[in-house]
Amino acid sequence: MVGDRLHGVDVDGRSHAIRAAVIGAGMGGILAAIKLRERGIACVVFEKGDGFGGTWRENTYPGLACDVSAHWYTYSFARNPDWKSLMADGPDIRDYFDRVAREYGIDAITRFGQEVADLRYHDGGWILETVQGHRERFDVVIAATGVLHHPNVPRFEGMDSFAGDLFHSARWDHSVALDDRRIGVVGTGSTAAQLTSALVPRARRFDLFQRTAQWVLPRENVPYSDDERRRFRENPEELEALVAELRAKTLEGYAAAVIDVDSPELAAIERLCRENLETVRDPELRKRLTPDYRAACKRLVISGTFYDAIQQENAHLVTAPIRRIEPEGLRTEDGVLHDLDVLVLATGFQVDRFIRPTTVAGRGGVSLDDVWADGPHAYLSVSLPDFPNLFLLNGPNSPIGNFSLVEVAQHQIEYILKLIEGITRGDYAEVCVKEEAMRRFEDERCAAARRTVWVTGCDSWYLDKRGVPASWTFSYDRFETEMARPRMEDFETR
């Protein structure tokens, strides 16, 4: 039912309780709900799916794992001493987020199976409507929808004619048998690499259809012993020291490398990738696996097993372009028909969606689709002009890549809460970034992009339609500094 309050502040200036909606019950949504409740702010979480976990609920394919160190990929207030190995597998990560959500009581305030269809700012508040017909008014909305949940499904000629089983990796059909079958995978990103490692030992024949070769950074997934896990449980300070070490290694290496093409850190990454490539024994296969762009221009594939798997006798790398799909399999432009029983599209996601396809109308009816016509953007990734009291977690231009998005989201939610606290104190009823501040930030971000590795000549999902990286193009230190406190002169308040 739509409430009667128009603002989070009484007419005499006294603060009172406001209500917040959180869209999404993945990593960011769980975090937002926990932190809002810590501040005494009532909130409701709307989740289109049937459970917690976000991308870790959507993706269930064989070999699914996170390529970020597990202990760093946790909330700082809810460490998990029982990770089995350096990098955790998908089911364990989903279980972790589900457990944290339930321990903090987020299940009691989450409406599963409620997909938000429409958000409209009206008379000082947001009217939220779901596909299922629920309608409610909120003072504040936090969109924690992520980007890895709208599968990118290419349309090949003849897709409907395939006589076998065909599905996207994020819509895995667990009823389909895999052992001793002819399996094809389209794609060569992190998902395809994980699938290759997992399925080659099971398949009679495995074909990997590669459009673009990827740089692969080797990393052994070292298991933690029972003794190590016991020590982490009994000595939280030892676990925190490990988190700090894992964090520092990544930030001092990868984070510094991607923003400066002339950095020694990038040179070191390229050396490690080339040394890893040399483990491919067949010179012809090695040549076809060699990218024609600089390492980290695309998101690095982190794997200690991919090259070994693709060199097995039953594994075949196919580099001829795909012509069409036929009942018996996939035909490439060289005329070869690759007979298949199972075809998996590991073709990624529509990463420019964010909160969309939800229709979002801000102040004066301004449409988010119109604002983002040339590509998604947001001030410091969290706020947009003319969309007061709407905040984004891991939104456009967030730091992305091979480091912890959990930590990124924790910085962002603390920043957002500082803005919300101004509402609860009665300093203002509405807050959003000024148009001029948005333009200044975006101009500076695009200028900084010219020094990054992402613009050195590859076609990647990091790039928007202008060829500008849709990511944080500054140092990670600057990100932390910016997130320490809002510069209120950049915000419009009413």
Side-chain angles (χ1 to χ4, degrees):
M1 188 172 75
V2 179
D4 294 327
R5 287 186 292 106
L6 301 182
H7 304 293
V9 180
D10 290 326
V11 292
D12 60 2
R14 293 176 301 170
S15 63
H16 63 68
I18 65 171
R19 298 181 69 243
V22 176
I23 303 176
M27 174 274 293
I30 295 167
L31 171 66
I34 290 172
K35 292 300 179 179
L36 284 165
R37 297 182 88 198
E38 281 183 358
R39 302 305 203 280
I41 299 171
C43 64
V44 179
V45 181
F46 292 87
E47 169 54 52
K48 67 180 180 180
D50 60 359
F52 294 108
T55 191
W56 302 106
R57 182 198 64 240
E58 301 280 305
N59 289 274
T60 60
Y61 60 81
L64 172 66
C66 184
D67 57 13
V68 175
S69 303
H71 284 297
W72 190 27
Y73 195 76
T74 56
Y75 303 123
S76 61
F77 53 86
R79 299 296 191 203
N80 176 23
D82 291 314
W83 292 121
K84 300 170 188 172
S85 56
L86 178 66
M87 294 174 287
D89 62 26
D92 285 349
I93 296 171
R94 178 182 176 176
D95 288 347
Y96 165 77
F97 287 122
D98 185 79
R99 183 174 68 253
V100 172
R102 296 182 189 284
E103 286 177 355
Y104 281 82
I106 306 307
D107 52 330
I109 60 169
T110 301
R111 295 174 182 169
F112 294 109
Q114 291 283 336
E115 181 177 359
V116 178
D118 191 82
L119 271 178
R120 295 188 179 274
Y121 195 72
H122 175 70
D123 204 13
W126 285 99
I127 307 299
L128 178 151
E129 294 189 38
T130 69
V131 171
Q132 293 71 26
H134 181 80
R135 187 170 186 263
E136 197 165 354
R137 184 186 184 90
F138 294 93
D139 304 289
V140 168
V141 175
I142 296 178
T145 52
V147 293
L148 302 182
H149 59 109
H150 293 299
N152 177 42
V153 180
R155 295 304 304 175
F156 296 115
E157 179 186 343
M159 282 182 72
D160 295 336
S161 72
F162 185 54
D165 298 294
L166 188 157
F167 45 83
H168 191 277
S169 57
R171 298 293 182 266
W172 197 270
D173 186 345
H174 289 275
S175 70
V176 173
L178 300 172
D179 293 331
D180 197 35
R181 303 192 75 193
R182 300 167 300 180
I183 302 173
V185 171
V186 178
T188 47
S190 294
T191 295
Q194 291 176 351
L195 283 169
T196 301
S197 298
L199 296 182
V200 165
R202 302 177 62 180
R204 183 196 325 166
R205 178 187 174 98
F206 181 89
D207 289 327
L208 180 64
F209 296 91
Q210 171 185 284
R211 184 176 66 176
T212 306
Q214 301 276 358
W215 287 111
V216 181
L217 189 67
R219 195 176 196 187
E220 185 181 357
N221 194 15
V222 180
Y224 292 113
S225 67
D226 291 342
D227 181 62
E228 285 176 307
R229 294 198 295 271
R230 177 188 57 78
R231 294 204 319 268
F232 294 153
R233 285 192 298 271
E234 295 176 356
N235 303 291
E237 66 279 2
E238 183 174 346
L239 179 54
E240 286 302 319
L242 174 61
V243 172
E245 178 185 350
L246 295 170
R247 179 183 186 276
K249 284 181 178 178
T250 303
L251 293 182
E252 291 168 5
Y254 178 84
V258 293
I259 63 168
D260 183 359
V261 293
D262 298 321
S263 67
E265 290 85 1
L266 182 58
I269 287 174
E270 291 183 318
R271 183 177 66 256
L272 289 171
C273 288
R274 291 190 179 279
E275 289 173 355
N276 191 35
L277 186 60
E278 289 299 315
T279 65
V280 178
R281 297 178 297 277
D282 180 356
E284 177 57 30
L285 178 59
R286 188 189 319 132
K287 181 179 179 181
R288 291 190 293 141
L289 286 167
T290 302
D292 61 0
Y293 54 86
R294 298 194 64 176
C297 184
K298 290 176 177 284
R299 191 181 194 277
L300 284 171
V301 173
I302 310 292
S303 176
T305 57
F306 170 70
Y307 283 150
D308 180 66
I310 199 62
Q311 292 182 83
Q312 298 305 306
E313 288 187 7
N314 66 323
H316 304 271
L317 181 71
V318 182
T319 55
I322 296 170
R323 179 184 296 175
R324 64 176 177 266
I325 294 173
E326 301 180 7
E328 297 81 11
L330 192 154
R331 191 177 296 277
T332 46
E333 289 291 354
D334 55 7
V336 175
L337 175 63
H338 304 268
D339 293 322
L340 299 170
D341 302 308
V342 181
L343 180 58
V344 180
L345 304 176
T347 47
F349 298 87
Q350 300 177 58
V351 295
D352 64 343
R353 298 290 85 197
F354 293 96
I355 191 174
R356 298 175 293 178
T358 300
T359 299
V360 184
R363 184 185 291 149
V366 61
S367 165
L368 183 62
D369 280 336
D370 290 342
V371 172
W372 282 358
D374 293 328
H377 58 274
Y379 174 78
L380 299 179
S381 88
V382 302
S383 182
L384 284 163
D386 293 321
F387 292 85
N389 301 0
L390 172 66
F391 307 103
L392 308 171
L393 270 185
N394 286 128
N397 320 135
S398 281
I400 54 177
N402 302 85
F403 44 76
S404 176
L405 295 187
V406 179
E407 179 178 290
V408 169
Q410 284 199 228
H411 283 301
Q412 291 173 339
I413 193 62
E414 293 300 329
Y415 182 95
I416 290 167
L417 285 167
K418 289 181 174 67
L419 294 171
I420 293 175
E421 285 165 2
I423 301 173
T424 61
R425 287 194 307 265
D427 298 342
Y428 43 79
E430 304 176 7
V431 58
C432 63
V433 69
K434 296 175 181 176
E435 179 65 43
E436 56 267 31
M438 178 72 255
R439 284 198 304 268
R440 184 182 69 246
F441 170 73
E442 186 64 2
D443 288 346
E444 187 180 0
R445 190 187 67 82
C446 291
R450 293 195 289 268
R451 291 286 303 163
T452 69
V453 70
W454 301 307
V455 296
T456 56
C458 69
D459 180 17
S460 113
W461 63 265
Y462 287 162
L463 302 179
D464 64 20
K465 63 177 64 175
R466 303 168 298 170
V468 176
S471 58
W472 185 260
T473 57
F474 312 107
S475 71
Y476 197 80
D477 285 345
R478 174 167 173 180
F479 171 71
E480 292 185 299
T481 299
E482 293 280 9
M483 289 293 104
R485 65 173 184 84
R487 287 187 275 186
M488 292 309 299
E489 63 271 21
D490 284 352
F491 286 88
E492 174 189 3
T493 59
R494 295 185 182 181

